[in-house]
Amino acid sequence: MSDQLHQIGAVADRVGLSLRTIRHYEDVALVIPSGRSAGGFRLYTDADIDRLGQVKAMKPLGFSLEETARILELQVIIDGGAAADDDLQQMESFAERAEAQCRQLSRQLADARQLTSRLRDGLGNAGAAARTPSWR
Amino acid sequence: MSDQLHQIGAVADRVGLSLRTIRHYEDVALVIPSGRSAGGFRLYTDADIDRLGQVKAMKPLGFSLEETARILELQVIIDGGAAADDDLQQMESFAERAEAQCRQLSRQLADARQLTSRLRDGLGNAGAAARTPSWR
DNA sequence: TTGCTCCTCACGTCACGTGAGGTGGC
DNA sequence: TTGCTCCTCACGTCACGTGAGGTGGC
């Protein structure tokens, strides 16, 4: 864990987000760089980079950026042992939504794989009758 | 396969899309209802409903609605045996992107599950050090 | 000094959500 | 006739993309 500071370009390469996305996360107060250079360049610590990585990893869970910020805040509160009942209930509710989203992602992945193999086979719609889809 | 006609509300319930989404798909010429009632109500055939279901199932593949329309068109062309070389190449390219997206979905699902269990455990960021994340 | 990287507006985009005000049809 | 369902605008939203025009720093 070095306490080196990183410019936004290096951070974007490492985490795999666009410059615009990282700047947007600052606009909405989701990930604020710990510092700025004399000339105004954003400077990110390793902790900032970890936070960006967490935000990126959470994207498939389908929360809004505002909700994501709240979840990260709740983690800090709960980890610090300073959680009120309301905080715990809120986190519980987020966790339930996350689990539901995982189940949906799992189904979507299965469907996506089936559709993808069909794309390559050039079977097109013909194979669709083989197994009755959910909307029938 | 009945040739009954369905109003948009019944279609939305069956397929699991919002009214607005189904209307939007008509706006962008992705799924056009086969008919209209005398009073202007959209009327969907079973084939229309299948098409909506396919579009919905393809959403996780990450194509734009315009690309989705092209893929459905290509399926018809290829199934009909009337595909030019260019059509086959384009479908091949779509299939490759779909496969890449499947791989990404698979990784995202794994990460999402890990994150989700961490949410419920209230471990928060503490567990993040256990396995080095990709951006380190 | 030359590039390469970064900066701040600010408008554009994609896929819809959300009323507002009005009408069809069993 | 009463509801419930549907209709068409049309503006709003979310998460960024995409230049435009200008400057920082090894």
Side-chain angles (χ1 to χ4, degrees):
Chain A
M1 199 193 306
S2 73
D3 45 0
Q4 229 202 308
L5 295 174
H6 311 270
Q7 288 184 185
I8 194 171
V11 173
D13 285 349
R14 179 151 314 184
V15 182
L17 292 171
S18 74
L19 302 184
R20 181 62 177 96
T21 295
I22 295 176
R23 293 192 188 113
H24 182 62
Y25 290 170
E26 182 179 4
D27 285 346
V28 298
L30 178 54
V31 185
I32 315 263
S34 292
R36 289 267 185 164
S37 76
F41 284 27
R42 290 169 181 82
L43 296 175
Y44 293 86
T45 63
D46 285 342
D48 295 336
I49 294 176
D50 279 359
R51 190 172 165 98
L52 279 168
Q54 257 203 75
V55 169
K56 189 195 175 190
M58 287 184 61
K59 282 173 78 175
L61 291 180
F63 296 115
S64 71
L65 296 184
E66 199 178 342
E67 289 169 331
T68 300
R70 178 62 180 151
I71 289 170
L72 294 182
E73 189 187 19
L74 281 172
Q75 285 185 341
V76 172
I77 293 173
I78 293 172
D79 283 1
D85 264 17
D86 195 50
D87 295 331
L88 292 173
Q89 274 177 35
Q90 213 179 337
M91 186 58 115
E92 167 70 16
S93 148
F94 281 134
E96 271 168 26
R97 283 178 54 196
E99 280 162 15
Q101 179 71 7
C102 281
R103 287 191 292 275
Q104 197 186 330
L105 276 176
S106 176
R107 274 172 306 200
Q108 286 180 341
L109 176 59
D111 289 352
R113 283 190 166 134
Q114 212 181 327
L115 272 171
T116 298
S117 70
R118 228 180 274 158
L119 283 193
R120 186 170 295 285
D121 296 347
L123 289 177
N125 209 0
R131 281 185 60 232
T132 304
S134 63
W135 60 88
R136 271 285 177 72
Chain B
M1 196 187 318
S2 73
D3 46 1
Q4 229 202 308
L5 296 174
H6 311 270
Q7 287 184 186
I8 192 170
V11 172
D13 285 348
R14 177 149 318 184
V15 181
L17 292 171
S18 73
L19 302 185
R20 181 61 176 95
T21 296
I22 295 177
R23 292 192 189 113
H24 182 61
Y25 290 171
E26 181 179 3
D27 285 345
V28 299
L30 177 54
V31 185
I32 315 264
S34 292
R36 290 268 184 163
S37 75
F41 284 27
R42 291 170 180 79
L43 296 175
Y44 293 86
T45 63
D46 286 342
D48 294 337
I49 293 176
D50 280 358
R51 190 172 165 99
L52 279 169
Q54 256 202 77
V55 169
K56 189 196 175 191
M58 287 184 62
K59 282 172 77 174
L61 292 180
F63 296 114
S64 71
L65 297 183
E66 197 178 341
E67 288 169 333
T68 300
R70 177 61 180 152
I71 289 170
L72 294 183
E73 188 186 21
L74 281 171
Q75 285 184 341
V76 173
I77 293 173
I78 293 171
D79 283 0
D85 264 17
D86 196 50
D87 295 330
L88 292 172
Q89 274 177 36
Q90 213 179 339
M91 186 57 115
E92 168 71 16
S93 147
F94 281 133
E96 272 168 26
R97 283 178 54 197
E99 279 161 16
Q101 179 72 6
C102 281
R103 288 191 292 274
Q104 197 186 330
L105 277 176
S106 176
R107 275 173 305 200
Q108 287 181 340
L109 176 59
D111 290 352
R113 285 191 164 133
Q114 212 180 328
L115 273 171
T116 297
S117 71
R118 230 180 274 158
L119 283 192
R120 188 170 295 283
D121 296 347
L123 288 177
N125 209 358
R131 280 185 59 232
T132 304
S134 62
W135 60 89
R136 271 284 179 72

